Amino acid sequence: FTGSPGTGKTTVGLKMADILYQLGYIKKGHLLTVTRDDLVGQYIGHTAPKTKEVLKKAMGGVLFIDEAYYLYKPDNERDYGSEAIEILLQVMENQRDELVVI
């Protein structure tokens, strides 16, 4: 989803979670909204546990990553956003029946 702040992106995500639950595509109807700060650590070794904990909470429902484009910062070689993306992609592939990511 795209749009300026306050245009209802999170609300649409919540509605999508409800619809997917009612259609039987997800086990739980919950939506977990996170930002870069919830997924990416500031030091080596902090990103993987943070990302995995978020994914654990989101299982069975919908993970909504608000402003997901901030995860990747190619101009900063000491940024750990790419590690979070790698973990997200792996889980999205291997556990596709247990999680929807928006």
Side-chain angles (χ1 to χ4, degrees):
F1 307 143
T2 61
S4 302
T7 56
K9 296 180 296 294
T10 303
T11 302
V12 171
L14 187 56
K15 295 292 183 189
M16 285 293 301
D18 186 46
I19 291 168
L20 293 171
Y21 174 70
Q22 289 182 23
L23 291 173
Y25 288 106
I26 54 177
K27 296 176 185 172
K28 303 175 188 175
H30 74 287
L31 173 79
L32 179 61
T33 303
V34 298
T35 64
R36 174 187 166 81
D37 291 342
D38 299 307
L39 297 169
V40 180
Q42 294 180 335
Y43 308 102
I44 293 173
H46 287 173
T47 296
K50 285 181 84 168
T51 302
K52 289 176 182 178
E53 182 62 30
V54 165
L55 288 164
K56 184 177 173 183
K57 290 177 185 176
M59 280 299 157
V62 175
L63 175 63
F64 182 89
I65 305 173
D66 197 16
E67 299 182 344
Y69 49 86
Y70 282 128
L71 285 176
Y72 183 64
K73 294 184 176 181
D75 53 321
N76 185 351
E77 65 184 46
R78 297 196 63 184
D79 183 73
Y80 306 110
S82 60
E83 181 182 358
I85 293 169
E86 288 176 23
I87 294 166
L88 286 165
L89 290 173
Q90 183 180 37
V91 170
M92 288 167 58
E93 178 64 29
N94 296 338
Q95 296 176 286
R96 65 177 69 197
D97 295 336
E98 301 176 42
L99 179 69
V100 173
V101 179
I102 300 175

XYZ file of all heavy atoms in Angstrom:
801
model
N 0.852 -1.177 0.000
C 0.000 0.000 0.000
C 0.886 1.224 0.000
O 1.943 1.218 0.618
C -0.888 0.045 1.240
C -1.682 -1.215 1.465
C -1.902 -1.682 2.743
C -2.227 -1.924 0.421
C -2.645 -2.806 2.979
C -2.980 -3.057 0.644
C -3.187 -3.501 1.943
N 0.452 2.263 -0.648
C 1.197 3.509 -0.618
C 0.243 4.630 -0.266
O -0.970 4.512 -0.419
C 1.857 3.817 -1.974
O 0.840 3.935 -2.965
C 2.835 2.722 -2.379
N 0.794 5.717 0.193
C -0.006 6.884 0.519
C 0.641 7.694 1.614
O 1.494 7.214 2.349
N 0.201 8.913 1.717
C 0.702 9.826 2.743
C 0.257 9.353 4.123
O -0.703 8.587 4.242
C 0.174 11.233 2.474
O 0.571 11.667 1.194
N 0.938 9.834 5.181
C 0.501 9.494 6.539
C -0.960 9.899 6.748
O -1.400 10.945 6.285
C 1.434 10.319 7.432
C 2.656 10.530 6.596
C 2.160 10.650 5.183
N -1.675 9.009 7.416
C -3.064 9.313 7.735
C -4.066 8.950 6.654
O -5.243 9.297 6.755
N -3.614 8.239 5.617
C -4.543 7.896 4.532
C -5.203 6.537 4.720
O -5.940 6.088 3.847
C -3.833 7.932 3.159
O -2.716 7.056 3.193
C -3.387 9.346 2.819
N -4.932 5.866 5.818
C -5.646 4.630 6.126
C -4.961 3.342 5.711
O -5.609 2.301 5.622
N -3.658 3.374 5.486
C -2.950 2.158 5.072
C -3.047 1.064 6.135
O -3.303 -0.093 5.806
C -1.487 2.474 4.761
C -1.298 3.413 3.585
C 0.162 3.705 3.321
C 0.849 4.442 4.429
N 0.398 5.811 4.673
N -2.863 1.422 7.385
C -2.944 0.441 8.468
C -4.364 -0.092 8.594
O -4.569 -1.291 8.808
C -2.473 1.061 9.795
O -1.139 1.556 9.619
C -2.475 0.039 10.914
N -5.345 0.766 8.428
C -6.744 0.344 8.489
C -7.055 -0.659 7.384
O -7.729 -1.670 7.608
C -7.688 1.561 8.375
O -7.386 2.464 9.441
C -9.134 1.150 8.452
N -6.541 -0.412 6.190
C -6.732 -1.346 5.080
C -6.054 -2.683 5.408
O -6.616 -3.754 5.156
C -6.199 -0.763 3.754
C -6.194 -1.815 2.655
C -7.025 0.436 3.337
N -4.869 -2.631 5.997
C -4.178 -3.853 6.410
C -4.995 -4.644 7.422
O -5.089 -5.872 7.334
N -5.596 -3.955 8.365
C -6.440 -4.604 9.367
C -7.654 -5.256 8.716
O -8.025 -6.386 9.040
C -6.874 -3.585 10.418
C -7.612 -4.114 11.633
C -6.803 -5.174 12.345
C -7.947 -2.981 12.575
N -8.257 -4.569 7.781
C -9.402 -5.127 7.049
C -8.975 -6.346 6.236
O -9.701 -7.343 6.163
C -10.038 -4.083 6.132
C -10.674 -2.925 6.863
C -11.878 -3.380 7.634
C -12.549 -2.184 8.291
N -13.596 -2.602 9.217
N -7.794 -6.267 5.626
C -7.266 -7.401 4.859
C -7.059 -8.614 5.773
O -7.377 -9.746 5.391
C -5.946 -7.041 4.187
C -6.073 -6.144 2.991
S -6.887 -6.916 1.602
C -5.843 -8.311 1.284
N -6.533 -8.382 6.968
C -6.332 -9.470 7.921
C -7.667 -10.127 8.260
O -7.773 -11.362 8.302
C -5.650 -8.946 9.186
N -8.683 -9.326 8.474
C -10.008 -9.851 8.797
C -10.577 -10.668 7.632
O -11.098 -11.766 7.825
C -10.947 -8.707 9.167
C -12.294 -9.206 9.657
O -12.320 -10.140 10.497
O -13.325 -8.679 9.189
N -10.460 -10.138 6.433
C -10.966 -10.839 5.246
C -10.227 -12.157 5.035
O -10.853 -13.202 4.795
C -10.844 -9.942 3.989
C -11.829 -8.778 4.084
C -11.063 -10.745 2.719
C -11.591 -7.677 3.061
N -8.897 -12.133 5.142
C -8.105 -13.352 4.955
C -8.441 -14.397 6.007
O -8.482 -15.596 5.719
C -6.614 -13.031 4.957
C -6.116 -12.210 3.769
C -4.680 -11.761 4.003
C -6.232 -12.997 2.479
N -8.709 -13.946 7.220
C -9.099 -14.864 8.298
C -10.459 -15.484 7.992
O -10.629 -16.705 8.096
C -9.129 -14.121 9.634
C -9.661 -14.954 10.761
C -8.927 -16.025 11.272
C -10.903 -14.684 11.321
C -9.416 -16.804 12.306
C -11.401 -15.460 12.353
C -10.657 -16.515 12.842
O -11.145 -17.298 13.855
N -11.415 -14.653 7.606
C -12.755 -15.163 7.298
C -12.753 -16.124 6.114
O -13.560 -17.063 6.063
C -13.710 -13.998 7.036
C -14.039 -13.220 8.288
C -15.022 -12.082 8.043
O -15.769 -12.102 7.084
N -14.989 -11.099 8.921
N -11.853 -15.924 5.169
C -11.745 -16.817 4.017
C -10.928 -18.082 4.319
O -10.844 -18.978 3.486
C -11.112 -16.076 2.833
C -11.961 -14.971 2.203
C -11.156 -14.206 1.161
C -13.242 -15.548 1.593
N -10.315 -18.124 5.504
C -9.559 -19.299 5.916
C -8.120 -19.337 5.446
O -7.461 -20.376 5.536
N -7.600 -18.214 4.971
C -6.220 -18.183 4.511
C -5.213 -18.038 5.650
O -4.049 -18.387 5.489
C -6.001 -17.046 3.507
C -6.648 -17.305 2.175
C -7.791 -16.627 1.800
C -6.127 -18.243 1.292
C -8.402 -16.874 0.575
C -6.718 -18.495 0.067
C -7.858 -17.802 -0.280
O -8.460 -18.049 -1.484
N -5.654 -17.489 6.763
C -4.784 -17.382 7.939
C -5.527 -17.946 9.149
O -6.758 -17.934 9.197
C -4.316 -15.926 8.197
C -5.490 -14.949 8.302
C -3.345 -15.478 7.124
C -5.105 -13.535 8.633
N -4.763 -18.437 10.125
C -5.350 -19.100 11.293
C -5.904 -18.122 12.321
O -6.835 -18.427 13.050
C -4.305 -19.994 11.951
C -3.851 -21.139 11.069
C -2.751 -21.928 11.733
C -2.232 -22.981 10.762
N -1.045 -23.651 11.264
N -5.283 -16.961 12.405
C -5.705 -15.933 13.353
C -6.009 -14.667 12.564
O -5.445 -14.448 11.508
C -4.603 -15.632 14.371
C -4.127 -16.833 15.146
C -2.959 -16.443 16.025
C -2.321 -17.654 16.684
N -1.128 -17.307 17.438
N -6.864 -13.842 13.075
C -7.224 -12.628 12.344
C -6.458 -11.409 12.798
O -6.911 -10.291 12.589
N -5.313 -11.600 13.409
C -4.601 -10.449 13.966
C -3.649 -9.804 12.968
O -3.166 -10.440 12.036
C -3.861 -10.835 15.248
C -2.637 -11.665 15.030
N -2.693 -12.995 14.668
C -1.320 -11.359 15.118
C -1.461 -13.460 14.556
N -0.608 -12.492 14.815
N -3.426 -8.525 13.190
C -2.482 -7.739 12.400
C -1.431 -7.205 13.353
O -1.757 -6.599 14.366
C -3.203 -6.567 11.719
C -2.312 -5.563 10.995
C -1.905 -6.129 9.642
C -3.028 -4.245 10.794
N -0.177 -7.456 13.030
C 0.927 -6.913 13.810
C 1.608 -5.846 12.971
O 2.127 -6.147 11.896
C 1.923 -8.019 14.179
C 3.145 -7.594 14.982
C 2.736 -6.997 16.324
C 4.071 -8.775 15.190
N 1.554 -4.621 13.435
C 2.163 -3.501 12.718
C 3.514 -3.193 13.332
O 3.622 -3.002 14.544
C 1.257 -2.254 12.791
O -0.022 -2.585 12.259
C 1.842 -1.101 12.007
N 4.546 -3.163 12.480
C 5.901 -2.885 12.947
C 6.567 -1.864 12.031
O 6.099 -1.602 10.927
C 6.767 -4.164 13.014
C 6.201 -5.165 14.000
C 6.925 -4.803 11.643
N 7.664 -1.316 12.525
C 8.484 -0.399 11.735
C 9.911 -0.943 11.696
O 10.216 -1.976 12.313
C 8.514 1.012 12.350
O 9.140 0.940 13.641
C 7.110 1.596 12.479
N 10.775 -0.242 11.031
C 12.189 -0.625 10.953
C 12.776 -0.833 12.352
O 13.525 -1.796 12.589
C 12.959 0.467 10.212
C 14.452 0.268 10.192
C 15.180 1.469 9.601
N 16.591 1.397 9.880
C 17.449 0.660 9.187
N 17.051 -0.058 8.175
N 18.726 0.635 9.513
N 12.441 0.030 13.282
C 13.000 -0.062 14.633
C 12.643 -1.375 15.331
O 13.383 -1.832 16.199
C 12.511 1.105 15.490
C 13.097 2.436 15.058
O 14.124 2.434 14.344
O 12.528 3.476 15.426
N 11.518 -1.970 14.960
C 11.100 -3.236 15.561
C 11.849 -4.428 14.980
O 11.866 -5.500 15.580
C 9.600 -3.455 15.353
C 8.765 -2.373 15.996
O 8.951 -2.123 17.200
O 7.941 -1.760 15.285
N 12.442 -4.262 13.812
C 13.083 -5.366 13.097
C 14.604 -5.297 13.068
O 15.269 -6.333 13.051
C 12.582 -5.400 11.642
C 11.094 -5.657 11.453
C 10.706 -5.391 10.014
C 10.744 -7.072 11.863
N 15.168 -4.109 13.030
C 16.599 -3.932 12.800
C 17.298 -3.501 14.087
O 16.908 -2.533 14.730
C 16.844 -2.888 11.688
C 18.334 -2.697 11.446
C 16.146 -3.306 10.401
N 18.375 -4.239 14.422
C 19.169 -3.899 15.587
C 20.221 -2.849 15.248
O 20.499 -2.567 14.078
N 20.817 -2.294 16.280
C 21.840 -1.270 16.088
C 23.241 -1.849 16.076
O 24.190 -1.176 15.692
C 21.737 -0.218 17.193
C 20.455 0.573 17.139
C 20.396 1.602 18.256
O 21.030 1.446 19.287
N 19.636 2.658 18.034
N 23.375 -3.100 16.517
C 24.696 -3.713 16.617
C 24.675 -5.080 15.961
O 23.617 -5.686 15.770
C 25.103 -3.870 18.095
C 24.982 -2.595 18.873
C 23.900 -2.372 19.718
C 25.938 -1.594 18.764
C 23.773 -1.191 20.421
C 25.820 -0.407 19.457
C 24.742 -0.214 20.290
O 24.620 0.948 20.985
N 25.850 -5.608 15.661
C 25.974 -6.947 15.102
C 25.321 -7.937 16.064
O 25.575 -7.904 17.262
C 27.460 -7.319 14.865
C 28.060 -6.440 13.771
C 27.612 -8.792 14.530
C 29.547 -6.624 13.581
N 24.491 -8.796 15.519
C 23.844 -9.827 16.332
C 22.505 -9.443 16.916
O 21.847 -10.285 17.524
N 22.072 -8.205 16.765
C 20.789 -7.783 17.344
C 19.623 -7.900 16.367
O 18.484 -8.024 16.797
C 20.871 -6.343 17.844
C 21.676 -6.189 19.085
N 21.992 -4.975 19.625
C 22.247 -7.097 19.901
C 22.713 -5.141 20.705
N 22.888 -6.417 20.892
N 19.889 -7.852 15.085
C 18.805 -7.841 14.100
C 18.077 -9.173 14.021
O 16.841 -9.210 14.027
C 19.344 -7.434 12.718
O 19.835 -6.092 12.805
C 18.267 -7.487 11.654
N 18.810 -10.260 13.931
C 18.168 -11.574 13.781
C 17.205 -11.881 14.925
O 16.048 -12.241 14.666
C 19.217 -12.667 13.634
N 17.597 -11.718 16.193
C 16.648 -12.006 17.273
C 15.428 -11.074 17.261
O 14.307 -11.528 17.519
C 17.462 -11.798 18.555
C 18.883 -11.881 18.149
C 18.945 -11.444 16.723
N 15.639 -9.799 16.944
C 14.513 -8.863 16.892
C 13.534 -9.263 15.792
O 12.316 -9.303 16.015
C 15.003 -7.431 16.623
C 15.642 -6.755 17.801
C 16.070 -5.345 17.457
C 14.903 -4.406 17.609
N 15.299 -2.988 17.576
N 14.056 -9.562 14.619
C 13.207 -9.921 13.487
C 12.482 -11.234 13.750
O 11.273 -11.355 13.494
C 14.042 -10.016 12.195
O 14.694 -8.760 11.980
C 13.180 -10.343 10.999
N 13.181 -12.207 14.279
C 12.570 -13.512 14.557
C 11.484 -13.411 15.626
O 10.468 -14.112 15.542
C 13.633 -14.525 14.958
C 14.503 -14.928 13.772
C 15.622 -15.865 14.173
C 16.489 -16.199 12.959
N 17.622 -17.067 13.322
N 11.670 -12.554 16.603
C 10.652 -12.365 17.638
C 9.386 -11.741 17.050
O 8.272 -12.152 17.369
C 11.191 -11.497 18.774
C 10.218 -11.300 19.919
C 9.825 -12.586 20.623
O 10.630 -13.542 20.665
O 8.693 -12.652 21.142
N 9.559 -10.768 16.177
C 8.406 -10.149 15.503
C 7.680 -11.193 14.663
O 6.441 -11.280 14.696
C 8.864 -8.951 14.628
C 7.779 -8.540 13.654
C 9.260 -7.781 15.509
N 8.427 -11.989 13.915
C 7.813 -13.012 13.082
C 7.068 -14.046 13.913
O 5.985 -14.503 13.533
C 8.880 -13.693 12.216
C 9.418 -12.827 11.080
C 10.707 -13.406 10.521
C 8.373 -12.667 9.991
N 7.618 -14.401 15.053
C 6.962 -15.349 15.956
C 5.606 -14.800 16.419
O 4.613 -15.529 16.433
C 7.871 -15.620 17.161
C 7.357 -16.645 18.126
C 8.376 -16.864 19.233
C 7.820 -17.769 20.320
N 8.787 -17.931 21.416
N 5.563 -13.527 16.761
C 4.309 -12.897 17.200
C 3.286 -12.805 16.072
O 2.086 -12.860 16.306
C 4.582 -11.490 17.747
C 5.320 -11.463 19.054
C 5.603 -10.035 19.472
C 6.444 -9.973 20.720
N 6.809 -8.583 21.084
N 3.773 -12.645 14.846
C 2.884 -12.453 13.695
C 2.355 -13.766 13.120
O 1.381 -13.741 12.354
C 3.610 -11.668 12.609
N 2.978 -14.894 13.453
C 2.583 -16.172 12.855
C 1.086 -16.424 13.011
O 0.511 -16.191 14.058
C 3.349 -17.334 13.483
C 4.729 -17.494 12.952
S 4.730 -17.832 11.183
C 6.360 -17.278 10.779
N 0.499 -16.891 11.937
C -0.927 -17.170 11.914
C -1.764 -15.973 11.509
O -2.977 -16.069 11.371
N -1.116 -14.829 11.316
C -1.831 -13.603 10.982
C -1.128 -12.808 9.904
O -0.512 -13.365 8.999
N -1.228 -11.490 10.031
C -0.668 -10.577 9.038
C 0.388 -9.696 9.702
O 0.141 -9.109 10.753
C -1.766 -9.699 8.404
C -1.172 -8.672 7.460
C -2.789 -10.561 7.668
N 1.546 -9.610 9.077
C 2.609 -8.698 9.504
C 2.587 -7.501 8.567
O 2.763 -7.654 7.360
C 3.971 -9.385 9.446
C 5.187 -8.502 9.749
C 5.122 -7.968 11.173
C 6.475 -9.278 9.517
N 2.333 -6.331 9.109
C 2.291 -5.098 8.329
C 3.549 -4.311 8.655
O 3.737 -3.871 9.790
C 1.037 -4.293 8.690
C 0.877 -3.020 7.917
C 0.200 -3.012 6.711
C 1.389 -1.829 8.386
C 0.029 -1.834 5.995
C 1.231 -0.644 7.684
C 0.559 -0.647 6.481
N 4.450 -4.152 7.684
C 5.686 -3.406 7.897
C 5.469 -1.990 7.392
O 5.453 -1.738 6.189
C 6.880 -4.068 7.181
C 7.012 -5.528 7.619
C 8.167 -3.285 7.479
C 8.050 -6.307 6.850
N 5.266 -1.078 8.326
C 5.015 0.317 7.988
C 6.309 0.957 7.490
O 7.353 0.827 8.118
C 4.489 1.046 9.219
C 3.820 2.357 8.898
O 3.473 2.589 7.722
O 3.632 3.161 9.831
N 6.231 1.611 6.356
C 7.384 2.257 5.723
C 8.528 1.264 5.508
O 9.681 1.514 5.861
C 7.822 3.472 6.531
C 6.729 4.530 6.620
C 7.145 5.777 7.381
O 8.152 5.740 8.109
O 6.446 6.783 7.235
N 8.177 0.127 4.911
C 9.135 -0.963 4.704
C 10.338 -0.545 3.868
O 11.419 -1.117 4.012
C 8.433 -2.149 4.044
N 10.185 0.467 3.050
C 11.305 0.910 2.207
C 12.480 1.408 3.033
O 13.599 1.467 2.549
C 10.852 1.989 1.211
C 10.075 3.114 1.831
C 10.714 4.205 2.394
C 8.676 3.072 1.864
C 10.006 5.225 2.975
C 7.958 4.108 2.441
C 8.616 5.182 2.996
O 7.901 6.193 3.581
N 12.253 1.750 4.294
C 13.352 2.185 5.163
C 14.229 1.021 5.632
O 15.290 1.241 6.217
C 12.824 2.916 6.393
C 12.419 4.339 6.133
C 11.166 4.794 6.524
C 13.277 5.236 5.508
C 10.780 6.117 6.294
C 12.907 6.538 5.271
C 11.649 6.973 5.673
O 11.285 8.272 5.439
N 13.798 -0.212 5.383
C 14.612 -1.349 5.810
C 15.947 -1.408 5.080
O 16.950 -1.810 5.641
C 13.859 -2.669 5.570
C 12.737 -2.996 6.532
C 12.046 -4.280 6.107
C 13.255 -3.115 7.951
N 15.952 -1.011 3.833
C 17.167 -1.116 3.021
C 17.804 0.246 2.833
O 17.192 1.160 2.299
C 16.831 -1.727 1.659
C 18.043 -1.941 0.785
C 19.038 -2.831 1.157
C 18.189 -1.252 -0.402
C 20.149 -3.036 0.361
C 19.298 -1.453 -1.219
C 20.272 -2.335 -0.822
O 21.371 -2.535 -1.610
N 19.039 0.362 3.286
C 19.792 1.607 3.141
C 21.146 1.276 2.510
O 22.127 1.038 3.209
C 19.982 2.278 4.497
C 18.678 2.757 5.116
C 18.935 3.507 6.406
C 17.641 4.063 6.959
N 17.859 4.817 8.182
N 21.206 1.252 1.176
C 22.430 0.816 0.500
C 23.627 1.741 0.714
O 24.769 1.316 0.560
C 22.029 0.789 -0.974
C 20.903 1.758 -1.076
C 20.176 1.670 0.246
N 23.390 2.974 1.106
C 24.479 3.928 1.285
C 25.232 3.745 2.609
O 26.260 4.360 2.821
C 23.951 5.356 1.174
C 22.779 5.622 2.103
O 21.930 4.722 2.253
O 22.712 6.726 2.675
N 24.717 2.872 3.482
C 25.335 2.667 4.788
C 25.766 1.205 4.912
O 24.936 0.326 5.119
C 24.355 3.043 5.907
C 24.991 2.954 7.273
O 26.104 2.451 7.428
N 24.276 3.416 8.279
N 27.060 0.946 4.810
C 27.555 -0.433 4.864
C 27.432 -1.054 6.253
O 27.506 -2.270 6.394
C 29.003 -0.502 4.383
C 29.981 0.241 5.283
C 31.385 0.232 4.723
O 31.532 0.496 3.521
O 32.310 -0.022 5.498
N 27.214 -0.245 7.286
C 27.071 -0.771 8.646
C 25.614 -0.883 9.054
O 25.302 -1.036 10.230
C 27.830 0.119 9.620
C 29.330 0.109 9.311
C 30.137 0.633 10.412
N 29.946 -0.254 11.564
C 30.469 -0.034 12.746
N 31.206 1.000 12.944
N 30.261 -0.858 13.739
N 24.713 -0.828 8.091
C 23.283 -0.946 8.365
C 22.879 -2.419 8.298
O 23.370 -3.164 7.456
C 22.488 -0.137 7.335
C 21.020 -0.170 7.636
O 20.603 0.479 8.602
O 20.295 -0.883 6.910
N 21.975 -2.836 9.180
C 21.589 -4.233 9.276
C 20.196 -4.506 8.726
O 19.640 -5.575 8.942
C 21.707 -4.702 10.728
C 23.087 -4.439 11.296
C 23.286 -3.469 12.269
C 24.183 -5.131 10.808
C 24.564 -3.213 12.762
C 25.460 -4.878 11.295
C 25.644 -3.920 12.275
O 26.892 -3.667 12.748
N 19.650 -3.564 8.000
C 18.331 -3.750 7.408
C 18.291 -4.889 6.410
O 17.302 -5.619 6.325
N 19.366 -5.076 5.666
C 19.391 -6.167 4.681
C 19.324 -7.533 5.365
O 18.767 -8.484 4.819
C 20.621 -6.068 3.785
O 21.803 -6.137 4.544
N 19.869 -7.635 6.561
C 19.781 -8.885 7.323
C 18.325 -9.177 7.676
O 17.857 -10.317 7.557
C 20.632 -8.805 8.593
C 20.606 -10.074 9.421
C 21.427 -9.960 10.699
O 22.057 -8.917 10.944
O 21.436 -10.945 11.453
N 17.591 -8.152 8.089
C 16.164 -8.321 8.405
C 15.397 -8.747 7.155
O 14.535 -9.633 7.219
C 15.592 -7.029 8.975
N 15.722 -8.151 6.019
C 15.059 -8.501 4.763
C 15.325 -9.966 4.411
O 14.407 -10.692 4.018
C 15.510 -7.563 3.625
C 15.004 -6.145 3.882
C 15.019 -8.080 2.274
C 15.611 -5.095 2.971
N 16.562 -10.410 4.575
C 16.904 -11.810 4.283
C 16.098 -12.775 5.148
O 15.585 -13.785 4.663
C 18.391 -12.041 4.498
C 19.275 -11.402 3.445
C 20.760 -11.575 3.735
O 21.124 -12.523 4.467
O 21.538 -10.761 3.235
N 15.971 -12.458 6.419
C 15.195 -13.313 7.331
C 13.723 -13.302 6.946
O 13.070 -14.354 6.900
C 15.397 -12.865 8.796
C 16.845 -13.112 9.221
C 14.430 -13.594 9.727
C 17.245 -12.421 10.508
N 13.205 -12.123 6.648
C 11.802 -12.016 6.232
C 11.531 -12.846 4.978
O 10.540 -13.580 4.910
C 11.433 -10.552 5.974
C 11.262 -9.672 7.195
C 11.277 -8.200 6.787
C 9.977 -10.007 7.922
N 12.411 -12.733 3.996
C 12.227 -13.477 2.753
C 12.278 -14.987 2.984
O 11.494 -15.742 2.396
C 13.267 -13.063 1.717
C 13.099 -11.662 1.144
C 14.290 -11.305 0.260
C 11.800 -11.541 0.370
N 13.181 -15.415 3.825
C 13.299 -16.842 4.124
C 12.017 -17.369 4.772
O 11.504 -18.421 4.379
C 14.498 -17.081 5.039
C 14.743 -18.540 5.351
C 15.938 -18.741 6.251
O 16.182 -17.936 7.150
N 16.679 -19.798 6.031
N 11.491 -16.637 5.739
C 10.266 -17.061 6.416
C 9.069 -16.980 5.469
O 8.211 -17.868 5.463
C 10.032 -16.227 7.698
C 8.657 -16.480 8.281
C 11.109 -16.544 8.721
N 9.019 -15.940 4.648
C 7.929 -15.817 3.685
C 7.918 -16.992 2.717
O 6.849 -17.442 2.290
C 8.048 -14.496 2.925
C 7.708 -13.287 3.764
S 8.190 -11.706 3.013
C 7.331 -11.735 1.477
N 9.081 -17.504 2.370
C 9.170 -18.653 1.460
C 8.875 -19.970 2.180
O 8.077 -20.772 1.707
C 10.564 -18.705 0.832
C 10.779 -19.881 -0.088
C 9.897 -19.870 -1.331
O 9.521 -18.779 -1.802
O 9.577 -20.960 -1.828
N 9.496 -20.174 3.319
C 9.405 -21.463 4.005
C 8.132 -21.652 4.819
O 7.762 -22.788 5.109
C 10.623 -21.663 4.912
C 11.905 -21.749 4.125
O 11.902 -22.060 2.936
N 13.013 -21.445 4.780
N 7.493 -20.562 5.218
C 6.278 -20.657 6.044
C 5.144 -19.850 5.421
O 4.384 -19.200 6.108
C 6.592 -20.179 7.467
C 7.602 -21.083 8.145
C 8.013 -20.578 9.512
O 8.755 -19.611 9.634
N 7.497 -21.221 10.532
N 5.027 -19.946 4.126
C 4.065 -19.140 3.377
C 2.619 -19.419 3.770
O 1.756 -18.582 3.554
C 4.262 -19.311 1.888
C 3.974 -20.709 1.385
C 4.104 -20.819 -0.103
N 5.492 -20.690 -0.479
C 5.909 -20.430 -1.690
N 5.070 -20.298 -2.658
N 7.185 -20.329 -1.945
N 2.344 -20.585 4.325
C 0.977 -20.914 4.733
C 0.627 -20.389 6.121
O -0.510 -20.534 6.561
C 0.775 -22.433 4.703
C 0.883 -23.011 3.303
O 0.668 -22.256 2.336
O 1.190 -24.209 3.177
N 1.598 -19.806 6.796
C 1.382 -19.381 8.179
C 1.440 -17.871 8.375
O 1.216 -17.394 9.491
C 2.423 -20.040 9.081
C 2.376 -21.546 9.027
C 3.474 -22.182 9.847
O 3.734 -21.698 10.962
O 4.092 -23.145 9.369
N 1.776 -17.116 7.329
C 1.995 -15.695 7.509
C 1.752 -14.930 6.220
O 2.133 -15.369 5.144
C 3.453 -15.468 7.963
C 3.921 -14.032 8.183
C 3.236 -13.434 9.406
C 5.423 -14.001 8.356
N 1.119 -13.769 6.362
C 0.972 -12.826 5.243
C 1.749 -11.577 5.631
O 1.629 -11.089 6.750
C -0.519 -12.476 4.996
C -0.647 -11.377 3.963
C -1.282 -13.716 4.564
N 2.561 -11.086 4.706
C 3.354 -9.880 4.958
C 2.905 -8.781 4.005
O 2.839 -8.986 2.815
C 4.872 -10.137 4.781
C 5.670 -8.857 5.029
C 5.331 -11.232 5.729
N 2.568 -7.645 4.585
C 2.183 -6.458 3.798
C 3.207 -5.379 4.066
O 3.517 -5.084 5.200
C 0.769 -5.935 4.183
C -0.262 -7.028 3.924
C 0.441 -4.671 3.416
C -1.651 -6.662 4.373
